[in-house]
Amino acid sequence: MGSQLTVTERDLRQLLDVVERGREADPEEYFPRGLLRALTDLIPAEDITFQRSRPLEREIVGLEEATGDTVELDHDWEDLFWRSYWEGEACSRPQRTGDYDTVWKVSDYLPGRKLGNSIVGEWFRLCGIRHEMTVPLPVRGAEDRRLLLFRASGRDFTERERLLLTMLRPHIVEIGHAHERRRAGVPDLTSRQLQLLRLVADGHSNTQIAHRLFVAEGTVRKHLENIYERLGVTSRTAAVATAFPGTHSA
């Protein structure tokens, strides 16, 4: 098991390639296609899809593949899709657990024959899928966002591949935030300013932020003044809303 979880220098180089290609995205793209294509080089899969949905409303908002195609779900399939989503624990895991950080596989819940006898297995057979791994991304209100990796045949995704995606996930999240800022025309912030503003978004006071960043409270105030000026806003709430579209300060 230990050897399966070894991360090599080649893996790290490919992880960096995924990050770099994600940062080079065209602002016209809703989600960085280069990142999806680079992911297929890191972790072989027949398909990698960025999925946006509103599960409570049983609505698919968008499906974008590594090829750049935008996929529309056939209306005849929608009922089976949402039944598989809610009746099985695997697909609706974040909504059931509140955990939007952990990478998971369908086989964590439905190994072997259990998958074949389930509603999820019925959906998989219809789509020609055998294995699936999911990278959950931060929600946008009622909108669920995730990356889905599919294999039509062969072996399941390994623990090493899960580890690579777990290591990569925080960078994918930040790339997504940065891409949304570019699309919205928001000025770039420094890494330190973004770090500080993320703490603001999490509800921390200036005093708490100063302790976490090992700086004086006056330095935090100065950083915030510079952030406000760069973003053209006058409050913490407005700065968070501008820098992280779709999120809200605690």
Side-chain angles (χ1 to χ4, degrees):
M1 179 65 72
S3 61
Q4 292 180 0
L5 294 181
T6 299
V7 176
T8 66
E9 181 179 349
R10 180 173 180 273
D11 292 330
L12 294 177
R13 291 183 184 278
Q14 286 186 298
L15 287 172
L16 288 173
D17 185 53
V18 173
V19 172
E20 289 304 315
R21 289 169 68 178
R23 288 173 175 166
E24 295 169 358
D26 186 330
E28 296 300 316
E29 299 172 357
Y30 193 89
F31 188 83
R33 297 171 188 166
L35 186 152
L36 296 178
R37 289 192 289 268
L39 269 180
T40 63
D41 294 333
L42 176 67
I43 299 177
E46 273 77 20
D47 184 32
I48 299 181
T49 299
F50 172 56
Q51 174 182 290
R52 294 179 292 137
S53 69
R54 295 190 180 97
L56 295 178
E57 301 171 22
R58 295 168 62 95
E59 178 186 357
I60 295 292
V61 180
L63 295 169
E64 300 177 41
E65 298 181 336
T67 59
D69 295 333
T70 298
V71 183
E72 292 188 10
L73 189 67
D74 192 306
H75 289 294
D76 294 337
W77 294 7
E78 286 186 343
D79 181 62
L80 179 58
F81 175 84
W82 289 114
R83 283 176 56 209
S84 69
Y85 192 99
W86 285 115
E87 291 181 22
E89 294 182 60
C91 299
S92 54
R93 182 186 188 281
Q95 287 78 29
R96 293 176 183 274
T97 66
D99 179 1
Y100 286 84
D101 299 318
T102 302
V103 176
W104 82 91
K105 303 187 292 183
V106 166
S107 57
D108 293 341
Y109 294 87
L110 296 166
R113 292 181 179 178
K114 286 187 177 180
L115 174 62
N117 296 327
S118 69
I119 186 69
V120 176
E122 186 178 346
W123 170 252
F124 274 21
R125 284 190 292 274
L126 181 63
C127 298
I129 298 169
R130 186 171 181 182
H131 307 293
E132 179 184 290
M133 184 154 59
T134 303
V135 182
L137 301 175
V139 296
R140 294 289 183 270
E143 185 174 288
D144 177 276
R145 297 180 171 202
R146 58 183 65 181
L147 295 181
L148 301 169
L149 292 83
F150 303 114
R151 282 179 180 160
S153 60
R155 63 179 175 81
D156 194 2
F157 295 96
T158 66
E159 290 305 308
R160 175 179 164 279
E161 289 168 333
R162 191 204 307 251
L163 174 62
L164 291 174
L165 285 174
T166 299
M167 293 171 61
L168 191 57
R169 183 187 173 279
H171 301 284
I172 294 175
V173 171
E174 184 50 50
I175 287 169
H177 285 322
H179 187 61
E180 288 178 344
R181 290 194 294 271
R182 285 196 298 272
R183 284 171 53 84
V186 177
D188 286 336
L189 299 176
T190 67
S191 58
R192 188 63 159 180
Q193 288 171 335
L194 285 170
Q195 181 186 24
L196 187 150
L197 203 51
R198 276 193 290 269
L199 292 172
V200 172
D202 289 338
H204 296 290
S205 67
N206 285 3
T207 301
Q208 291 170 325
I209 293 171
H211 289 161
R212 283 175 174 264
L213 299 183
F214 302 101
V215 297
E217 193 169 341
T219 301
V220 174
R221 288 195 295 270
K222 186 62 178 178
H223 275 308
L224 285 172
E225 290 173 7
N226 292 335
I227 290 170
Y228 296 166
E229 181 178 0
R230 182 167 292 194
L231 297 181
V233 299
T234 58
S235 71
R236 299 161 72 92
T237 301
V240 169
T242 302
F244 307 124
T247 63
H248 303 279
S249 178

